[in-house]
């Protein structure tokens, strides 16, 4: 069935925009003329129903305190310094009286290691997430606790805030060994600052203290937060990729057991996350907090089914990434993980009579989930070691489940040595699909619309599993929309694509940008979300070939001053020379005097020491100092650089216009594992060239950078390290046309990412069409950002009554416009 079957419902607030993504000539008119010509008789790429999807990773408190509806934080007293150096087993709790977290043989079960010993007449109070436990007047909330009270006790449970009680107090009589006790509250008023308190009249042991809203998404038990789940459902995603991300390929690959020493920093392993919630393991989250695993594989599969999305799990490949970069050499452990993957497929697809199908059925889902795709690994920086293990996973899966598509990946970047090697191995190994990830500047997305035009049509297909343009402003969403037209044009190669990350709790942020933002009381759509929703709900089934005129290239030579910087490193610089192409000295500084020629705009501590310019703070990041004229062009830069201490190497900048726009050669970046040339555009960075390599401490390096026009050549110790030409135009006007087979409509999608309206002649190539079209437009100022209280990027729908085989339409400045035109 077509993915266009649901909701058109998106559009625009048409506002005049301010700054453009491209430089605008002073004499530019307010309207620029374009032409779009369709070739309806030609046959473009078919677009799968699963083209666009979502990627869920537990980052930014996306699970606990987010999509998982549990209102109690640290409900099982399992928080640990292994999760975060500031944590204790009583984090988020306050005690009145005697309360001690115990880890001994009296625990609830082996995998739930800690429990709370509460003295007679004592109580504990939980602070929830954000400002507290959120309750709404008239809504019901289900409380549960596992308790052990050998001599019997009365548990008094209270919901309150600073102003008083939020619901009638509940009392529960508990006696004997471990047993689950329940109660229900109906909130008498609304509060964002609630607290849940449990008091006991006699000594008692408590574990799994829980409070759930009765109203969850689809009212599922152990359910999901309704507003967040519904926003994801409204996207109409074709697939759900889970559970990560860096959660999958970091930490120990051992299990959570006595044999492994109950390791807390483990890769995400699916068997830890199923079964009764009180028996599920806990884990240290890679992003610096604790994962309860209350939201586990069963809930992910169930959620995918509920939103009509294909489930796409990712399993560890026993090669760590995300800065850890270690291949695990343990044949028995590898075989265990391969078997776990086979067991996962049986859990998803096996009959209720099979071992793992029975587990699924006992959890409440006798019908198979219909798993068709599985990813092995995530962003491994050791491509050869990864691929050797990937092949063993694939062989085992194909032998038992030949219909499953097994997905490889190309590392963490859009180019470079790791990327090239991973793709070469994938092509030679005839893999089905390669998962690409990249986060780049808006300019990069405008420049690389044609990225997949040249991909081998007979090679592996592409899963663009993670991408974003490094910001939640409208200019970021505009550039992503422009890029997505290229994804659709190449739908025969790019089979799956998902923006990342999906969710962010505004008070617990490890990564920006994010698609949906929330706190304990509300959630809101980013500008990027509105673009994703528009594309997902109006994808179409086939591309209708079309052409459009372009925008003249207004770029000139690379111009800018020069700079020096460090990142978590102390370094010394000397003998800086900048010479023009004709030999004229533009800057010389041997630091025999002061550093008055340099402007410090970043962090860190700079001073002249023994004839060198030294940045001494080995913890500071982005410590940029600059010198020279932003108008400089066609020059040679020489620097002598020495790393003194720290995690990385040094950064040499050129083409510096201001603090957010420059190029730099990052030598010894990414924990001193690789070097790259990066371009910053409005503060967002894109990688232009990358190679593996590290920088030695105490060694002086001679660095030379030659800038000619838009070509740059880089030399390290007199040897050419690499070169690049930055001459791709950042095209602001992009379009794609698709056809909806169900409705017979043409969907004309136009992105105008500039501050001038685009008056466009549209030639439908003789197609017979109705005289009116449904139009959905998104438009705003480029720097507009949606917040909880203000949503300037909001869809607006309208009807255009001037459709004809040839017609003219003016697309607003800084806009995304979808026109659905009925044929026949």
């Amino acid at each position: 069935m077509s993915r266009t079957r649901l909701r058109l419902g998106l559009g625009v607030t048409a506002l005049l925009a301010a700054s453009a993504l491209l430089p605008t000539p002073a004499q530019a008119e307010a309207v620029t003329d374009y032409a779009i010509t369709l070739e309806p008789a030609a046959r473009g790429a078919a677009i799968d129903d699963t083209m666009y999807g979502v990627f869920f990773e537990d980052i930014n408190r996306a699970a606990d305190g987010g999509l998982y509806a549990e209102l109690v934080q640290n409900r099982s007293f399992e928080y640990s310094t292994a999760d975060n150096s500031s944590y204790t087993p009583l984090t988020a709790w306050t005690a009145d009286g005697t309360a001690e977290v115990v880890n001994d043989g009296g625990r609830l079960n082996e995998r739930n290691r800690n429990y709370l010993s509460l003295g007679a007449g004592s109580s504990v109070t939980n602070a929830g997430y954000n400002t507290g436990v959120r309750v709404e007047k008239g809504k019901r909330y289900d409380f549960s606790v596992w308790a052990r009270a050998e001599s019997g006790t009365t548990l008094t449970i209270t919901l309150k805030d600073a102003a008083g009680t939020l619901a009638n107090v509940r009392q529960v009589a508990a006696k004997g060994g471990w047993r689950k006790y329940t109660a229900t509250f109906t909130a008498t008023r609304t509060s964002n600052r609630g607290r849940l308190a449990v008091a006991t009249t006699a000594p008692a042991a408590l574990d799994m203290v829980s409070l759930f809203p009765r109203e969850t998404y689809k009212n599922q038990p152990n359910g999901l937060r309704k507003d967040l789940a519904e926003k994801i459902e409204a996207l109409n995603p074709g697939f759900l990729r889970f559970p990560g991300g860096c959660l999958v390929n970091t930490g120990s690959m051992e299990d959570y057991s006595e044999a492994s020493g109950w390791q807390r920093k483990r890769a995400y392993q699916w068997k830890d996350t199923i079964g009764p919630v009180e028996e599920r393991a806990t884990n240290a989250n890679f992003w610096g907090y604790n994962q309860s695993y209350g939201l586990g594989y069963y809930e992910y599969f169930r959620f995918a089914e509920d939103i009509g999305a294909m489930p796409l799990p990712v399993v560890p490949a026993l090669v760590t990434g995300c800065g850890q970069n270690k291949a695990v050499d343990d044949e028995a452990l590898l075989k265990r993980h391969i078997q776990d993957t086979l067991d996962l497929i049986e859990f998803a697809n096996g009959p209720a009579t099979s071992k793992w199908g029975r587990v699924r059925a006992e959890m409440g889902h006798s019908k198979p989930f219909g798993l068709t795709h599985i990813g092995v690994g995530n962003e491994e920086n050791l491509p050869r070691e990864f691929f050797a293990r990937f092949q063993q996973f694939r062989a085992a899966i194909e032998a038992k489940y030949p219909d499953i598509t097994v997905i490889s990946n190309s590392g963490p970047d859009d180019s470079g040595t790791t990327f090239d090697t991973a793709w070469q191995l994938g092509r030679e190994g005839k893999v089905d699909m390669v998962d690409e990830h990249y986060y780049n500047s808006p300019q990069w997305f405008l420049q690389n619309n044609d990225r997949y035009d040249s991909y081998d049509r007979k090679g592996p297909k592409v899963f663009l599993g993670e991408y974003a343009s490094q910001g939640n402003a409208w200019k970021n969403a505009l550039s992503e929309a422009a890029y997505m037209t290229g994804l659709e044009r190449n739908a025969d190669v790019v089979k799956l694509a998902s923006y990342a990350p999906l969710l962010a709790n505004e008070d617990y942020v490890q990564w920006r940008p994010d698609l949906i933002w929330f706190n304990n009381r509300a959630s809101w759509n980013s500008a990027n979300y509105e673009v994703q929703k528009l594309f997902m709900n109006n994808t179409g089934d086939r591309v209708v070939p079309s052409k459009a005129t372009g925008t003249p290239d207004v770029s000139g030579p690379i111009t800018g001053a020069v700079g020096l910087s460090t990142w978590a490193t102390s370094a010394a610089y000397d003998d800086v020379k900048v010479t023009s192409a004709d030999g004229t000295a533009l800057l010389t500084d041997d630091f025999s005097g002061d550093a008055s020629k340099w402007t410090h705009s970043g962090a860190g501590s700079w001073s002249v020491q023994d004839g060198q310019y030294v940045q001494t703070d080995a913890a500071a990041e982005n410590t940029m100092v600059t010198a020279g004229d932003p108008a400089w062009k066609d020059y040679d830069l020489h620097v002598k650089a020495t790393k003194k201490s720290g995690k990385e190497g040094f950064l040499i900048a050129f083409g510096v216009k201001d603090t957010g726009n420059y190029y730099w050669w990052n030598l010894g970046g990414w924990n001193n594992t690789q070097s790259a040339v990066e371009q910053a555009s409005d503060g967002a960075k894109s990688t232009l060239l990358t190679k593996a390599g590290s920088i030695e401490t105490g060694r002086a390096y001679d660095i030379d950078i030659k800038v000619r026009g838009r070509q740059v050549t880089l030399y390290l110790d007199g040897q050419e390290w690499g070169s690049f030409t930055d001459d791709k135009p950042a095209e602001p006007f992009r379009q794609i046309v698709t056809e909806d087979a169900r409705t017979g409509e043409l969907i004309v999608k136009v992105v105008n990412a500039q501050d001038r309206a685009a008056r466009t002649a549209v030639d439908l190539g003789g197609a017979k069409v109705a005289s009116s079209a449904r139009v959905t437009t998104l438009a705003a100022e480029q720097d507009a950002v949606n917040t909880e209280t203000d949503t300037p990027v909001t869809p607006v729908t309208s009807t255009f009554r001037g459709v004809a085989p040839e017609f003219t339409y003016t697309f607003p400045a800084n806009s995304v416009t979808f026109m659905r035109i009925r044929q026949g």
Side-chain angles (χ1 to χ4, degrees), residues 747-775:
I747 312 173
V748 179
K749 313 173 189 184
V750 177
V751 180
N752 182 29
Q754 58 189 329
D755 65 351
R756 302 184 300 279
R759 184 171 52 210
T760 306
V762 181
D763 182 348
L764 298 179
K768 294 180 179 180
V769 293
S771 60
S772 64
R774 289 179 293 160
V775 179

mmCIF file of all heavy atoms in Angstrom, residues 747-775:
data_model
loop_
_atom_site.group_PDB
_atom_site.id
_atom_site.type_symbol
_atom_site.label_atom_id
_atom_site.label_comp_id
_atom_site.label_asym_id
_atom_site.label_seq_id
_atom_site.Cartn_x
_atom_site.Cartn_y
_atom_site.Cartn_z
ATOM 1 N N ILE A 747 2.787 14.848 -7.490
ATOM 2 C CA ILE A 747 3.194 15.612 -6.301
ATOM 3 C C ILE A 747 4.440 16.403 -6.685
ATOM 4 O O ILE A 747 5.530 15.834 -6.838
ATOM 5 C CB ILE A 747 3.475 14.697 -5.093
ATOM 6 C CG1 ILE A 747 2.333 13.686 -4.890
ATOM 7 C CG2 ILE A 747 3.671 15.545 -3.841
ATOM 8 C CD1 ILE A 747 2.629 12.650 -3.821
ATOM 9 N N VAL A 748 4.277 17.695 -6.880
ATOM 10 C CA VAL A 748 5.382 18.574 -7.258
ATOM 11 C C VAL A 748 5.970 19.151 -5.975
ATOM 12 O O VAL A 748 5.278 19.852 -5.230
ATOM 13 C CB VAL A 748 4.900 19.697 -8.189
ATOM 14 C CG1 VAL A 748 6.059 20.622 -8.553
ATOM 15 C CG2 VAL A 748 4.271 19.112 -9.448
ATOM 16 N N LYS A 749 7.227 18.851 -5.711
ATOM 17 C CA LYS A 749 7.874 19.247 -4.457
ATOM 18 C C LYS A 749 9.004 20.218 -4.792
ATOM 19 O O LYS A 749 9.934 19.859 -5.528
ATOM 20 C CB LYS A 749 8.428 18.013 -3.744
ATOM 21 C CG LYS A 749 7.430 16.866 -3.667
ATOM 22 C CD LYS A 749 8.034 15.586 -3.123
ATOM 23 C CE LYS A 749 7.085 14.410 -3.275
ATOM 24 N NZ LYS A 749 7.608 13.165 -2.678
ATOM 25 N N VAL A 750 8.941 21.410 -4.246
ATOM 26 C CA VAL A 750 9.912 22.451 -4.574
ATOM 27 C C VAL A 750 10.472 23.050 -3.290
ATOM 28 O O VAL A 750 9.720 23.427 -2.381
ATOM 29 C CB VAL A 750 9.268 23.558 -5.433
ATOM 30 C CG1 VAL A 750 10.277 24.683 -5.698
ATOM 31 C CG2 VAL A 750 8.764 22.986 -6.755
ATOM 32 N N VAL A 751 11.791 23.151 -3.238
ATOM 33 C CA VAL A 751 12.484 23.783 -2.117
ATOM 34 C C VAL A 751 13.156 25.046 -2.638
ATOM 35 O O VAL A 751 13.947 24.988 -3.582
ATOM 36 C CB VAL A 751 13.540 22.842 -1.499
ATOM 37 C CG1 VAL A 751 14.243 23.519 -0.323
ATOM 38 C CG2 VAL A 751 12.896 21.525 -1.063
ATOM 39 N N ASN A 752 12.849 26.162 -2.026
ATOM 40 C CA ASN A 752 13.462 27.445 -2.386
ATOM 41 C C ASN A 752 14.190 27.981 -1.161
ATOM 42 O O ASN A 752 13.622 28.696 -0.343
ATOM 43 C CB ASN A 752 12.400 28.434 -2.867
ATOM 44 C CG ASN A 752 13.010 29.759 -3.303
ATOM 45 O OD1 ASN A 752 14.156 29.804 -3.749
ATOM 46 N ND2 ASN A 752 12.253 30.834 -3.176
ATOM 47 N N ALA A 753 15.454 27.602 -1.009
ATOM 48 C CA ALA A 753 16.230 27.900 0.199
ATOM 49 C C ALA A 753 17.010 29.199 0.056
ATOM 50 O O ALA A 753 18.217 29.246 0.291
ATOM 51 C CB ALA A 753 17.165 26.736 0.507
ATOM 52 N N GLN A 754 16.350 30.258 -0.318
ATOM 53 C CA GLN A 754 16.998 31.561 -0.462
ATOM 54 C C GLN A 754 15.991 32.647 -0.094
ATOM 55 O O GLN A 754 14.786 32.399 -0.024
ATOM 56 C CB GLN A 754 17.490 31.762 -1.886
ATOM 57 C CG GLN A 754 16.400 31.666 -2.937
ATOM 58 C CD GLN A 754 16.931 31.662 -4.350
ATOM 59 O OE1 GLN A 754 17.956 32.257 -4.635
ATOM 60 N NE2 GLN A 754 16.229 30.989 -5.249
ATOM 61 N N ASP A 755 16.496 33.863 0.108
ATOM 62 C CA ASP A 755 15.615 34.924 0.573
ATOM 63 C C ASP A 755 14.929 35.678 -0.564
ATOM 64 O O ASP A 755 14.490 36.810 -0.386
ATOM 65 C CB ASP A 755 16.386 35.892 1.474
ATOM 66 C CG ASP A 755 17.478 36.643 0.738
ATOM 67 O OD1 ASP A 755 17.763 36.296 -0.429
ATOM 68 O OD2 ASP A 755 18.050 37.581 1.326
ATOM 69 N N ARG A 756 14.839 35.057 -1.727
ATOM 70 C CA ARG A 756 14.119 35.629 -2.866
ATOM 71 C C ARG A 756 13.043 34.644 -3.304
ATOM 72 O O ARG A 756 13.283 33.433 -3.325
ATOM 73 C CB ARG A 756 15.075 35.893 -4.035
ATOM 74 C CG ARG A 756 16.225 36.814 -3.683
ATOM 75 C CD ARG A 756 17.094 37.124 -4.894
ATOM 76 N NE ARG A 756 17.700 35.947 -5.497
ATOM 77 C CZ ARG A 756 18.807 35.347 -5.040
ATOM 78 N NH1 ARG A 756 19.391 35.813 -3.958
ATOM 79 N NH2 ARG A 756 19.316 34.297 -5.654
ATOM 80 N N ALA A 757 11.907 35.150 -3.642
ATOM 81 C CA ALA A 757 10.860 34.288 -4.182
ATOM 82 C C ALA A 757 11.318 33.711 -5.517
ATOM 83 O O ALA A 757 12.153 34.291 -6.214
ATOM 84 C CB ALA A 757 9.568 35.077 -4.364
ATOM 85 N N ALA A 758 10.796 32.557 -5.863
ATOM 86 C CA ALA A 758 11.175 31.866 -7.100
ATOM 87 C C ALA A 758 9.966 31.793 -8.021
ATOM 88 O O ALA A 758 9.094 30.929 -7.859
ATOM 89 C CB ALA A 758 11.712 30.478 -6.796
ATOM 90 N N ARG A 759 9.898 32.723 -8.982
ATOM 91 C CA ARG A 759 8.822 32.709 -9.976
ATOM 92 C C ARG A 759 9.162 31.631 -10.992
ATOM 93 O O ARG A 759 10.188 31.708 -11.666
ATOM 94 C CB ARG A 759 8.716 34.075 -10.648
ATOM 95 C CG ARG A 759 7.559 34.200 -11.638
ATOM 96 C CD ARG A 759 7.393 35.644 -12.085
ATOM 97 N NE ARG A 759 8.646 36.184 -12.548
ATOM 98 C CZ ARG A 759 8.976 37.488 -12.450
ATOM 99 N NH1 ARG A 759 8.161 38.345 -11.879
ATOM 100 N NH2 ARG A 759 10.151 37.912 -12.905
ATOM 101 N N THR A 760 8.301 30.616 -11.079
ATOM 102 C CA THR A 760 8.674 29.392 -11.789
ATOM 103 C C THR A 760 7.638 29.022 -12.844
ATOM 104 O O THR A 760 6.440 28.921 -12.549
ATOM 105 C CB THR A 760 8.817 28.231 -10.780
ATOM 106 O OG1 THR A 760 9.724 28.621 -9.745
ATOM 107 C CG2 THR A 760 9.327 26.971 -11.451
ATOM 108 N N ALA A 761 8.129 28.803 -14.048
ATOM 109 C CA ALA A 761 7.292 28.278 -15.128
ATOM 110 C C ALA A 761 7.306 26.762 -15.034
ATOM 111 O O ALA A 761 8.366 26.138 -15.109
ATOM 112 C CB ALA A 761 7.834 28.739 -16.478
ATOM 113 N N VAL A 762 6.131 26.180 -14.862
ATOM 114 C CA VAL A 762 6.011 24.730 -14.706
ATOM 115 C C VAL A 762 5.377 24.153 -15.963
ATOM 116 O O VAL A 762 4.262 24.525 -16.337
ATOM 117 C CB VAL A 762 5.169 24.373 -13.468
ATOM 118 C CG1 VAL A 762 5.070 22.855 -13.317
ATOM 119 C CG2 VAL A 762 5.754 24.997 -12.210
ATOM 120 N N ASP A 763 6.086 23.233 -16.622
ATOM 121 C CA ASP A 763 5.600 22.566 -17.827
ATOM 122 C C ASP A 763 5.374 21.102 -17.477
ATOM 123 O O ASP A 763 6.332 20.356 -17.219
ATOM 124 C CB ASP A 763 6.630 22.720 -18.949
ATOM 125 C CG ASP A 763 6.168 22.097 -20.268
ATOM 126 O OD1 ASP A 763 5.158 21.359 -20.256
ATOM 127 O OD2 ASP A 763 6.834 22.329 -21.292
ATOM 128 N N LEU A 764 4.107 20.681 -17.446
ATOM 129 C CA LEU A 764 3.772 19.315 -17.057
ATOM 130 C C LEU A 764 3.920 18.317 -18.199
ATOM 131 O O LEU A 764 3.506 17.156 -18.072
ATOM 132 C CB LEU A 764 2.348 19.268 -16.511
ATOM 133 C CG LEU A 764 2.106 20.115 -15.246
ATOM 134 C CD1 LEU A 764 0.647 20.012 -14.819
ATOM 135 C CD2 LEU A 764 3.030 19.685 -14.113
ATOM 136 N N GLY A 765 4.514 18.738 -19.280
ATOM 137 C CA GLY A 765 4.827 17.818 -20.365
ATOM 138 C C GLY A 765 3.613 17.236 -21.053
ATOM 139 O O GLY A 765 3.645 16.099 -21.534
ATOM 140 N N GLY A 766 2.542 18.002 -21.107
ATOM 141 C CA GLY A 766 1.348 17.536 -21.800
ATOM 142 C C GLY A 766 0.417 16.699 -20.962
ATOM 143 O O GLY A 766 -0.597 16.202 -21.471
ATOM 144 N N ALA A 767 0.716 16.521 -19.694
ATOM 145 C CA ALA A 767 -0.160 15.731 -18.838
ATOM 146 C C ALA A 767 -1.517 16.414 -18.687
ATOM 147 O O ALA A 767 -1.606 17.632 -18.579
ATOM 148 C CB ALA A 767 0.485 15.554 -17.461
ATOM 149 N N LYS A 768 -2.587 15.619 -18.697
ATOM 150 C CA LYS A 768 -3.922 16.145 -18.499
ATOM 151 C C LYS A 768 -4.177 16.252 -17.000
ATOM 152 O O LYS A 768 -4.098 15.261 -16.272
ATOM 153 C CB LYS A 768 -4.949 15.244 -19.155
ATOM 154 C CG LYS A 768 -4.842 15.197 -20.678
ATOM 155 C CD LYS A 768 -5.901 14.282 -21.276
ATOM 156 C CE LYS A 768 -5.799 14.252 -22.804
ATOM 157 N NZ LYS A 768 -6.832 13.357 -23.403
ATOM 158 N N VAL A 769 -4.499 17.467 -16.556
ATOM 159 C CA VAL A 769 -4.597 17.698 -15.124
ATOM 160 C C VAL A 769 -5.816 18.544 -14.798
ATOM 161 O O VAL A 769 -6.366 19.251 -15.655
ATOM 162 C CB VAL A 769 -3.340 18.421 -14.598
ATOM 163 C CG1 VAL A 769 -2.116 17.525 -14.698
ATOM 164 C CG2 VAL A 769 -3.113 19.734 -15.346
ATOM 165 N N ALA A 770 -6.234 18.463 -13.527
ATOM 166 C CA ALA A 770 -7.304 19.325 -13.036
ATOM 167 C C ALA A 770 -6.792 20.746 -12.920
ATOM 168 O O ALA A 770 -5.580 20.986 -12.885
ATOM 169 C CB ALA A 770 -7.801 18.820 -11.688
ATOM 170 N N SER A 771 -7.703 21.692 -12.821
ATOM 171 C CA SER A 771 -7.309 23.104 -12.813
ATOM 172 C C SER A 771 -6.909 23.607 -11.437
ATOM 173 O O SER A 771 -6.422 24.731 -11.305
ATOM 174 C CB SER A 771 -8.459 23.969 -13.347
ATOM 175 O OG SER A 771 -9.613 23.813 -12.522
ATOM 176 N N SER A 772 -7.101 22.807 -10.417
ATOM 177 C CA SER A 772 -6.725 23.235 -9.065
ATOM 178 C C SER A 772 -5.829 22.180 -8.421
ATOM 179 O O SER A 772 -5.843 21.008 -8.807
ATOM 180 C CB SER A 772 -7.961 23.476 -8.201
ATOM 181 O OG SER A 772 -8.687 22.275 -8.021
ATOM 182 N N ALA A 773 -5.069 22.621 -7.434
ATOM 183 C CA ALA A 773 -4.159 21.720 -6.725
ATOM 184 C C ALA A 773 -4.188 22.033 -5.238
ATOM 185 O O ALA A 773 -4.355 23.196 -4.835
ATOM 186 C CB ALA A 773 -2.733 21.874 -7.253
ATOM 187 N N ARG A 774 -4.031 20.997 -4.432
ATOM 188 C CA ARG A 774 -3.859 21.194 -2.995
ATOM 189 C C ARG A 774 -2.395 21.541 -2.740
ATOM 190 O O ARG A 774 -1.494 20.817 -3.171
ATOM 191 C CB ARG A 774 -4.229 19.946 -2.220
ATOM 192 C CG ARG A 774 -5.732 19.654 -2.201
ATOM 193 C CD ARG A 774 -6.012 18.382 -1.433
ATOM 194 N NE ARG A 774 -5.489 17.203 -2.121
ATOM 195 C CZ ARG A 774 -5.245 16.039 -1.518
ATOM 196 N NH1 ARG A 774 -5.432 15.916 -0.219
ATOM 197 N NH2 ARG A 774 -4.809 15.004 -2.204
ATOM 198 N N VAL A 775 -2.174 22.626 -2.038
ATOM 199 C CA VAL A 775 -0.810 23.117 -1.810
ATOM 200 C C VAL A 775 -0.525 23.112 -0.313
ATOM 201 O O VAL A 775 -1.338 23.574 0.489
ATOM 202 C CB VAL A 775 -0.629 24.544 -2.370
ATOM 203 C CG1 VAL A 775 0.785 25.045 -2.094
ATOM 204 C CG2 VAL A 775 -0.923 24.572 -3.862
#
